[in-house]
Amino acid sequence: MNWITKFIKPKLKKLFKKQSQSIEGALWTTCTCQELIYKEDLHKNYFVCPKCDSHQKISCVDRFKIFFDNSQFEILKTPSPPDDPLNFVDTKKYIDRLSAARKLTNQDDAIMIASGKLKDINVTVGAQNFSFIGGSVGAASGEAFIHGVQHAIDNQNPFIFFSCSGGQRMMESAIALQQMSRTVLAVNELKNNNLPYIVVLTNPTTGGVSASYVMIGDLLISEPKATIGFSGRRVVEQTIGETLPDGFQTAEYVKEHGGIDMVISRKDLRNTIGTLLSILLKIKKSEVTKEDATIEAIEEPIQKTSEAV
Ligand SMILES: [Zn+2]
């Protein structure tokens, strides 16, 4: 060991650590449009860039805060299956990836479930955090989703889910793939109980997640410009040997081609879903508050959906 490793390196490390901490705690942040945004403005604007309308990825807790009435909700404790059952190692140990993701997001796994009220209607809500290993679904997230559905059935609540994921968690191999059929079966139980299941697709919703519990929602709503698909654009182009049109796999393109029902801005989601639920649950129009006065605009897509069913 020489003086460089003994004295200079630790000093440099300390300096860089300090710098990264000050960036983290900074009042400003940047968007993909390269604009500098005051963090508080971003939060007030539902984490949507005020300059370019980009709907940023958010944590489950932030999602619940902006969705439930008065930001009041209860986070439900979901089952915790064993970590890393396959002792999986790629460039890193999966167990290390898990602990890094937990530290980063302050969540046990990618999916969290909460219950509370939306426009005075009791609802069970699930959300997925992309910062937790790409929002991928393994055993723990599968269990969380099923627990959410069970809570909705036990309390006769509608179930609303905000998807944001690259697909199944490959570090859990077949166990992750099994979650596709398990979650679909859970949604079937929701439908057997005649409870509404509304999915809000956020950027991105792809892979095994879009191929399982997401696309079987009674109503599929997406945030603007969200990427929705199964495989990525490049893979599809290589497989079919054709160049795909502009906007392929965006929410707007998928809606135009009948894949989803609506594209709604994040700030309007509460009103829209509140109104939809009041119709689906047959609450009298007089009981719906004036704030929700978009019923006529929404009734048409509902009729279309029920005809399709
Ligand atoms: Zn922007």
Side-chain angles (χ1 to χ4, degrees):
M1 188 182 282
N2 57 29
W3 66 276
I4 296 180
T5 46
K6 222 173 176 182
F7 299 106
I8 307 293
K9 266 194 176 175
K11 278 196 175 176
L12 281 173
K13 265 190 182 171
K14 220 176 164 184
L15 191 73
F16 279 117
K17 207 176 170 190
K18 260 190 184 172
Q19 270 191 354
S20 64
Q21 275 171 351
S22 68
I23 289 168
E24 212 172 88
L27 296 170
W28 299 83
T29 185
T30 47
C31 169
T32 43
C33 67
Q34 306 297 323
E35 285 284 346
L36 201 59
I37 317 161
Y38 189 43
K39 267 189 185 173
E40 209 180 306
D41 288 345
L42 189 68
H43 293 189
K44 275 186 196 158
N45 203 34
Y46 305 89
F47 302 89
V48 175
C49 172
K51 309 271 165 55
C52 73
D53 199 42
S54 144
H55 285 52
Q56 305 210 338
K57 296 183 185 80
I58 55 175
S59 72
C60 298
V61 170
D62 283 335
R63 176 64 74 177
F64 297 147
K65 278 184 187 166
I66 60 172
F67 188 68
F68 283 104
D69 289 355
N70 307 317
S71 302
Q72 298 284 311
F73 55 89
E74 185 197 343
I75 291 176
L76 307 181
K77 173 92 189 87
T78 56
S80 319
D83 288 339
D84 195 12
L86 306 174
N87 291 320
F88 192 88
V89 182
D90 49 84
T91 52
K92 255 190 195 177
K93 284 182 182 170
Y94 172 43
I95 198 88
D96 292 341
R97 285 187 193 278
L98 272 177
S99 47
R102 282 176 184 152
K103 208 173 158 192
L104 175 74
T105 59
N106 211 14
Q107 293 187 199
D108 287 340
D109 211 88
I111 291 180
M112 277 176 88
I113 306 291
S115 71
K117 282 178 186 283
L118 171 72
K119 303 283 171 187
D120 257 348
I121 300 168
N122 286 325
V123 288
T124 307
V125 179
Q128 210 158 9
N129 188 347
F130 197 80
S131 301
F132 199 106
I133 319 183
S136 54
V137 174
S141 281
E143 287 292 341
F145 183 90
I146 294 164
H147 185 83
V149 170
Q150 190 61 54
H151 180 271
I153 293 170
D154 291 346
N155 294 278
Q156 291 295 295
N157 284 354
F159 188 56
I160 301 155
F161 192 83
F162 291 86
S163 65
C164 186
S165 175
Q168 303 310 110
R169 192 170 301 162
M170 287 299 100
M171 297 87 157
E172 292 188 24
S173 188
I175 296 169
L177 294 177
Q178 283 160 14
Q179 307 312 316
M180 293 174 69
S181 45
R182 294 182 76 226
T183 48
V184 168
L185 287 170
V187 172
N188 265 353
E189 281 307 305
L190 208 55
K191 295 188 179 186
N192 288 342
N193 278 271
N194 224 6
L195 293 166
Y197 171 45
I198 298 180
V199 182
V200 182
L201 296 91
T202 75
N203 184 41
T205 297
T206 57
V209 168
S210 68
S212 57
Y213 58 87
V214 162
M215 285 301 187
I216 52 173
D218 297 323
L219 281 161
L220 301 176
I221 301 171
S222 175
E223 288 187 340
K225 295 179 195 146
T227 298
I228 300 169
F230 181 65
S231 337
R233 184 188 177 100
R234 190 166 46 86
V235 175
V236 179
E237 279 186 335
Q238 282 171 359
T239 309
I240 62 172
E242 274 182 42
T243 309
L244 294 165
D246 286 342
F248 179 71
Q249 288 185 331
T250 59
E252 291 73 9
Y253 183 93
V254 177
K255 180 184 171 277
E256 212 176 296
H257 292 79
I260 57 171
D261 299 300
M262 303 178 203
V263 179
I264 306 280
S265 284
R266 193 174 284 168
K267 65 175 169 43
D268 299 323
L269 282 174
R270 266 175 51 79
N271 278 345
T272 307
I273 296 176
T275 310
L276 286 168
L277 286 180
S278 67
I279 297 165
L280 291 171
L281 298 171
K282 296 191 176 66
I283 293 174
K284 283 179 203 155
K285 276 186 188 181
S286 56
E287 289 174 27
V288 179
T289 57
K290 272 186 183 167
E291 206 186 336
D292 314 325
T294 46
I295 291 174
E296 269 87 64
I298 290 160
E299 269 175 344
E300 201 193 340
I302 285 188
Q303 280 160 5
K304 273 187 195 162
T305 313
S306 52
E307 275 165 25
V309 170

